[in-house]
Amino acid sequence: MSIDEEFQANIEALPNILQRKYTLLHDLDKSLQEIQRGNEQRCEQELDNMKRGIKSGNITPNISLLKFSDDALDEQKHAIRIADEKVALAVQAYDLVDTHIQQLDQYLKKFDEDLRRAERDTVAAIGSPPTLENNIKGGKSGETSARGRKKTRLATAVSAAAAAASAATAANTNSMELDLPVDPNEPTYCFCNQVSYGEMVACDNPDCKIEWFHYGCVGLKEQPKGKWYCSDCVGTRRRRKAK
């Protein structure tokens, strides 16, 4: 079973495991509440009996000798055990989710490394693709006058080239090392100061210092409608309006 399949199997089983733990927590909580109500009633009844006994003189009014019955004390101990079991279950559920989060972080890190390695393999196989960035950036300014700034940019060309290069070089991976360093001259974008990848959106402020942003970094899931401004430019526009 591959890492992807193992991770998917584990994450698919997580909801059912958590559901069972939450169901048990609910049952324990219901049982605890019943025990607490019964114990409160028992203790109130015993207190009333003590008060009546003291008034009638049948019980010596000595606080050190007054105590609840063994049944009441056993109920309280039982309630504490159930409460401890609830805490243990909650900790187990938390640890379980935390473990899956750590696994997800490791999986995403590996996925990112594989993606970057595929991009480096592409550069090694077909040469540096300067025209992709230049054409996209140049096309943005060229399209401004005709129909506004281009809103999105897909890295499908890079992905397709990566797939082709991976297939072409699969037979030579045992004899050739393709793990090349990242080009330090490759331009970076967005608040994350990373290279171009995936879908990106351009800020409609012509004076924006960054210009291009990754969807995930600015909370976008689809192409924005109308004009779109990054958070920095939005703040700048508001300050100007306030003046």
Side-chain angles (χ1 to χ4, degrees):
M1 179 181 292
S2 66
I3 296 178
D4 296 355
E5 293 173 343
E6 182 179 359
F7 176 77
Q8 184 175 359
N10 290 337
I11 201 68
E12 287 178 350
L14 179 61
N16 291 332
I17 297 175
L18 290 177
Q19 180 63 37
R20 289 195 294 269
K21 290 187 179 296
Y22 292 151
T23 299
L24 182 56
L25 272 172
H26 179 269
D27 294 341
L28 287 173
D29 186 65
K30 184 178 179 180
S31 176
L32 179 60
Q33 291 181 9
E34 292 176 354
I35 292 175
Q36 287 176 332
R37 285 195 295 268
N39 187 254
E40 288 175 358
Q41 294 175 359
R42 181 188 297 274
C43 291
E44 289 177 356
Q45 182 64 42
E46 291 184 3
L47 285 173
D48 291 338
N49 294 338
M50 291 178 188
K51 292 178 181 179
R52 286 195 295 270
I54 292 173
K55 289 182 178 180
S56 62
N58 295 328
I59 298 178
T60 303
N62 188 340
I63 298 177
S64 61
L65 300 177
L66 298 177
K67 65 177 184 177
F68 291 114
S69 65
D70 291 339
D71 291 338
L73 296 176
D74 289 341
E75 286 178 345
Q76 293 171 5
K77 292 178 182 179
H78 185 44
I80 292 174
R81 286 194 296 269
I82 294 179
D84 290 340
E85 190 173 353
K86 284 179 56 183
V87 172
L89 272 174
V91 171
Q92 291 175 11
Y94 175 87
D95 290 341
L96 185 63
V97 174
D98 184 63
T99 299
H100 280 76
I101 291 175
Q102 294 181 18
Q103 291 177 350
L104 177 60
D105 290 339
Q106 295 174 0
Y107 173 80
L108 292 177
K109 181 179 179 181
K110 180 181 181 302
F111 179 80
D112 183 66
E113 292 174 351
D114 292 343
L115 181 61
R116 292 180 181 274
R117 186 178 297 109
E119 292 175 351
R120 292 194 293 268
D121 293 348
T122 302
V123 174
I126 64 177
S128 180
T131 56
L132 178 62
E133 289 292 336
N134 295 337
N135 289 343
I136 293 174
K137 298 293 286 184
K140 180 188 69 171
S141 59
E143 293 176 4
T144 303
S145 58
R147 53 173 178 164
R149 293 161 67 92
K150 185 177 180 181
K151 284 296 181 183
T152 60
R153 193 168 54 142
L154 301 177
T156 52
V158 173
S159 299
S166 298
T169 58
N172 299 326
T173 54
N174 292 332
S175 59
M176 181 171 64
E177 178 61 44
L178 297 178
D179 192 7
L180 300 177
V182 176
D183 184 1
N185 296 322
E186 186 173 0
T188 57
Y189 307 95
C190 192
F191 294 125
C192 64
N193 196 31
Q194 297 295 321
V195 298
S196 170
Y197 64 85
E199 292 184 313
M200 301 185 70
V201 60
C203 179
D204 276 304
N205 180 7
D207 299 324
C208 182
K209 296 180 180 180
I210 301 178
E211 293 189 299
W212 288 97
F213 303 85
H214 303 105
Y215 268 26
C217 294
V218 294
L220 291 177
K221 294 183 179 180
E222 59 184 13
Q223 177 178 339
K225 297 179 180 179
K227 292 188 175 183
W228 181 88
Y229 298 91
C230 69
S231 57
D232 287 350
C233 293
V234 169
T236 302
R237 287 167 59 87
R238 287 177 178 173
R239 287 192 294 270
R240 288 178 180 175
K241 290 181 180 181
K243 293 179 180 180

